[in-house]
Amino acid sequence: MRPVRVVAGAVVALFLLNSFLVSEAGSFMGTRLIGPVTVAFAFGLLQCLIAVSAVWWYAQYARTYLDPLAQRLQGVDDGEGGDER
Amino acid sequence: MNTGHPLAAGDTGFPVFAVFAAFVSCSLFLAILTTSHKITSGDFYVSNGKLSPAQNGIALFGDSVSAGLLLGAPGLIALTGYDGIPAFVLGPIAASVVLLLLVAEPYHSTGRYTVGDCLARRLRPSAVHAAAGIATLPICLLYLIAQLVGAGALAGPILGLTSPGAQKVMVASLGVLMILYVVIGGMRATTLVQLVKAVLLIGGGLAMAFMVMAEVGWHPGNLLQRAAERSGLGVHFLEPGRSFGDDGARKLDSVSQQVAILLGAAGLPHVLMRLGAVPNARAARSSVQWAVLLIMAFCLTAVVLGFGAAALVGPDAISSDNPSGNTATLLLAEIVGGPLLLTLISCVAFTTILAVVAGTLLTAATSLAHDLYQAVVMRGRAPDGSEVIVARSAVVVIGLAATLLAMYAQGLNISVLLGLPFAIAASAVVPALLYNLYWRGFTTRGALWAVYGGLLSAVALVVFSPAVSGNPAALLPGSDFAVFPLRNPGVVSIPLGFLLGWLGSVLDPQGPSQAQFKEIERSITAGTRTG
C-alpha cells in the first residue's frame, strides 16, 4: 500500500503547491512562456499529465501487486469457508 | 449580433420544454419498468451492488459533475481567465485521483451503504452511525437546495420564465420529479438518469468544444489569444490572481476554496455511496478509473468552452447577461450552434440538475433510514421491509423540505450554499474516513470529535463569514455579524477536523482496538467485506 499513498500524496502536494504559487507568487506564475501561454497554464497542464500517469501507474501496480495478494487472501478465506461474496 | 442581448428565450423555450418532458417521461417509464415489486434495502440503496464497472463509472462521473460545474466553470473562466481553473478544473481532477488511489477500494471493502457502515466496522456502531448520519444530512440538504435554486434561476434565460412565481413553479416541478424518481426506482432509476445525463453531457460538451476549436482554426494558442483580446485586458487576462489582486483575505479564501473542493469532492456522501453499487473492490477500482478519465475529459472541455465564450461572446456580454457568468455556456451554444445546440445544452443542464439531485436525495434518505433509524433508533433490529418503508418516506420528507427551502431561497444570493457542502464533507467526513481506513490508533472518540468538530466549525465559520452577512452581496444583506474574514471555512475547519480526530483518539481512555484494525487491514488487502 505504501507506494500508492506516496503517489496520492504527490498529486495532492502538486495541487497545493499550485494554489500556493498562484496566491503568493502571482507575477512568476504570470510569466509568459510561448505565445499567450503562461507558467500557470503550463503548470496546470503538467498536473493533468501527472494525474493521467498516476491513474495509468495505479492500474498497472494494482494488477501486478494488489490483485495477486487479494486473490491469495481470498483463497485462504474460501478454504475456511468464510467468504460471503 | 452578440453585444449583450439576452438569449432568445421565446424561440427556444418550447422545444427545450418538449424535449425535456419527452426525456423525463421516457426515463420515468423505464424506471418503473425495471423496478421489481419486492424491493430490499440493498436493492433500493445500491442496486444490490449489481451494476457493471462501466455503468457505475459513467454514473459516478455524472454524480461528480453538477450543474454548478457544467455552467459555473466555463462562466468563471470566461469572466476571470485563469482564476477559474484551479478550483473548477484542477480540483475535480486531483480529487478523483485521490478517490481512486486512497478511497475507492478500501471503502468498498469495509462499508456497505453509508459512511456510518464503514466507520462501524471498527468503532462503536451506534455512536458513529449517529455522527455519520448527522453530518451526511446537512451536506446533502445544502447540496440539494443549491442545485434546485440553480434550476429556478436557469428557467429565466432558457424557458423565458422571468417572474419569481414562474421560477418557483419550475423549482417545485423539478422537486416533485426528483421525489417521484427516487421513491419509485431508488438507485436503479437514479443510475438510469445519471447514465443518460453523462452521455448527453459528454456528447454536447465535445460537440460544442469542436465547434469552438473549428472557429479559431484548431489552434489552442489562437483561442487564448482571441479570448485575451476580446476581454479588453490583453495578456493580463491570462495571468493568475487577477480576480483577487493583492487582497490577503481573498487570496487565502481562494486557497481555502481549492482545498475544500480537492478533499470535499472525494468525500461527498453521494459519491461515496455509488462506490457500493458494484460487486467487488476491483470493480470499484475500474468504475473510478472510468470516472477519472471522463472527469478529465469534461474539465478540459470546460476550459475550451470557457475561453471560447470569452473569445466569441466576450466577458462584457456575459456579465451583462448574468453577473456570475452562469449563462456563458448557453450564450456560447447559441452563437456557435444556433437554436438546435442551445436546445440540446439547455436539456443537458436540466437533466444534470435532475440527475444530481436524485442521487443526493437518495443518499440523504439512505443515511436517515440506515444510519439514524436502523442503527441508532432500532439498534440494528428493524426488519428489512420497514427500513425500506422508512427510506421511501425519508425521500418524500427530505425531498419536500429541500424543494420548499429552495423555493424560499429563490432570489437570495445562495453562492455560499455551493461551497459549504464541500467544506463540510472535507472537514467532517474525510478526516474520519481516512483515519478509519489507514490509522491503527483511531478510536470512537476520535471519530466523534472529528465529525462533530469538523461539521460545527465549518457551519459556524460560514455563519460568521462575509458570505452570510455584512455586505450587499451576502445572503442576509441587512445584518452584519461577519467576524470571520473568509467566505470558505476550509482552510481552518479541515485541519481542525484532522486535529480533533487525532486528539480525540489519543485522549480516548479506551484506546484503539488492535484486533479490529487488523481485520480492516485484511479486508482491504483481500478486497472483500469479510475479514
Side-chain angles (χ1 to χ4, degrees):
Chain A
M1 290 304 273
R2 286 243 168 257
V4 179
R5 287 180 222 176
V6 173
V7 173
V11 171
V12 171
L14 205 62
F15 179 83
L16 294 178
L17 179 69
N18 186 55
S19 305
F20 176 78
L21 286 178
V22 164
S23 103
E24 296 307 317
S27 56
F28 163 68
M29 295 297 271
T31 314
R32 290 171 71 188
L33 292 176
I34 319 152
V37 178
T38 58
V39 175
F41 275 94
F43 203 78
L45 209 57
L46 178 75
Q47 279 192 64
C48 290
L49 291 178
I50 286 188
V52 173
S53 22
V55 172
W56 181 81
W57 169 83
Y58 183 67
Q60 304 296 314
Y61 179 83
R63 213 171 299 148
T64 21
Y65 296 99
L66 303 181
D67 288 347
L69 197 64
Q71 229 138 38
R72 228 176 310 149
L73 271 176
Q74 278 175 27
V76 174
D77 283 345
D78 283 345
E80 292 163 353
D83 191 12
E84 69 170 4
R85 294 183 67 84
Chain B
M1 93 200 165
N2 44 24
T3 46
H5 75 94
L7 292 165
D11 308 339
T12 55
F14 180 71
V16 171
F17 185 74
V19 173
F20 185 67
F23 158 75
V24 162
S25 33
C26 285
S27 52
L28 198 58
F29 177 70
L30 267 175
I32 296 169
L33 209 66
T34 52
T35 311
S36 55
H37 287 291
K38 280 196 171 175
I39 199 166
T40 65
S41 60
D43 216 355
F44 189 69
Y45 299 153
V46 293
S47 272
N48 272 335
K50 284 194 182 127
L51 296 179
S52 79
Q55 275 177 338
N56 200 49
I58 296 170
L60 185 62
F61 155 71
D63 273 325
S64 315
V65 178
S66 67
L69 197 57
L70 166 66
L71 302 173
L76 203 61
I77 292 172
L79 291 184
T80 65
Y82 174 82
D83 286 341
I85 291 180
F88 290 103
V89 175
L90 302 176
I93 293 178
S96 60
V97 174
V98 170
L99 189 71
L100 171 67
L101 265 58
L102 294 184
V103 180
E105 291 164 73
Y107 185 81
H108 187 281
S109 305
T110 53
R112 276 175 82 201
Y113 313 132
T114 64
V115 177
D117 286 331
C118 177
L119 298 177
R121 271 298 291 274
R122 60 183 286 210
L123 307 172
R124 210 168 64 241
S126 57
V128 293
H129 270 295
I134 288 170
T136 302
L137 286 177
I139 298 175
C140 293
L141 202 59
L142 290 169
Y143 205 75
L144 278 175
I145 296 170
Q147 299 285 322
L148 287 173
V149 171
L154 268 186
I158 295 178
L159 300 175
L161 306 172
T162 41
S163 77
Q167 296 190 356
K168 281 185 181 160
V169 171
M170 179 71 211
V171 172
S173 35
L174 210 65
V176 169
L177 261 181
M178 148 185 97
I179 295 170
L180 270 182
Y181 262 103
V182 182
V183 162
I184 295 173
M187 185 54 124
R188 249 170 244 271
T190 308
T191 306
L192 198 74
V193 203
Q194 214 47 283
L195 288 178
V196 174
K197 164 232 174 155
V199 172
L200 281 176
L201 185 60
I202 280 285
L206 281 182
M208 222 162 117
F210 278 136
M211 290 180 192
V212 169
M213 291 310 285
E215 197 89 10
V216 298
W218 299 97
H219 194 293
N222 219 344
L223 175 67
L224 294 178
Q225 200 72 56
R226 281 184 62 176
E229 279 162 19
R230 188 74 187 258
S231 71
L233 294 157
V235 287
H236 296 299
F237 185 64
L238 305 171
E239 286 168 5
R242 226 177 37 76
S243 63
F244 43 76
D246 265 337
D247 187 337
R250 293 193 64 184
K251 277 183 184 172
L252 193 59
D253 216 358
S254 149
V255 172
S256 186
Q257 183 197 28
Q258 292 169 31
V259 177
I261 287 187
L262 168 71
L263 289 179
L268 282 177
H270 67 276
V271 169
L272 292 173
M273 180 152 148
R274 191 160 277 291
L275 295 174
V278 286
N280 53 49
R282 211 187 293 186
R285 179 201 309 156
S286 46
S287 52
V288 183
Q289 279 168 350
W290 275 90
V292 179
L293 297 177
L294 287 170
I295 288 172
M296 236 175 251
F298 175 78
C299 286
L300 294 180
T301 308
V303 174
V304 174
L305 297 185
F307 284 113
L312 303 174
V313 186
D316 294 338
I318 293 167
S319 60
S320 71
D321 192 60
N322 179 316
S324 55
N326 279 338
T327 51
T329 314
L330 302 169
L331 291 167
L332 179 66
E334 198 183 23
I335 284 181
V336 297
L340 190 70
L341 191 64
L342 178 59
T343 307
L344 175 72
I345 298 295
S346 309
C347 283
V348 173
F350 279 118
T351 317
T352 296
I353 294 177
L354 181 63
V356 169
V357 290
T360 313
L361 177 60
L362 177 66
T363 308
T366 302
S367 191
L368 190 76
H370 189 72
D371 284 330
L372 297 179
Y373 169 75
Q374 175 69 288
V376 178
V377 178
M378 303 301 287
R379 304 273 153 183
R381 289 191 297 263
D384 193 65
S386 65
E387 192 183 320
V388 175
I389 293 172
V390 172
R392 283 187 153 148
S393 326
V395 169
V396 177
V397 173
I398 298 172
L400 283 178
T403 309
L404 288 176
L405 285 170
M407 286 164 75
Y408 169 75
Q410 199 70 50
L412 297 178
N413 186 342
I414 51 105
S415 59
V416 57
L417 295 186
L418 293 173
L420 189 54
F422 285 89
I424 300 178
S427 323
V429 176
V430 171
L433 197 63
L434 289 182
Y435 280 143
N436 188 55
L437 296 174
Y438 293 109
W439 183 33
R440 187 179 301 279
F442 196 46
T443 71
T444 304
R445 179 181 283 187
L448 300 182
W449 285 22
V451 172
Y452 291 129
L455 172 66
L456 288 178
S457 60
V459 173
L461 289 177
V462 162
V463 168
F464 293 109
S465 80
V468 170
S469 69
N471 63 76
L475 183 65
L476 306 170
S479 355
D480 186 2
F481 42 87
V483 287
F484 182 68
L486 305 182
R487 286 160 192 277
N488 193 305
V491 81
V492 176
S493 64
I494 298 169
L496 192 69
F498 277 101
L499 182 73
L500 286 172
W502 171 78
L503 203 65
S505 303
V506 175
L507 296 180
D508 195 337
Q510 293 184 335
S513 154
Q514 299 296 340
Q516 275 170 327
F517 183 66
K518 280 226 163 62
E519 202 191 299
I520 285 241
E521 272 191 317
R522 190 184 158 82
S523 279
I524 292 174
T525 320
T528 57
R529 280 167 199 173
T530 51

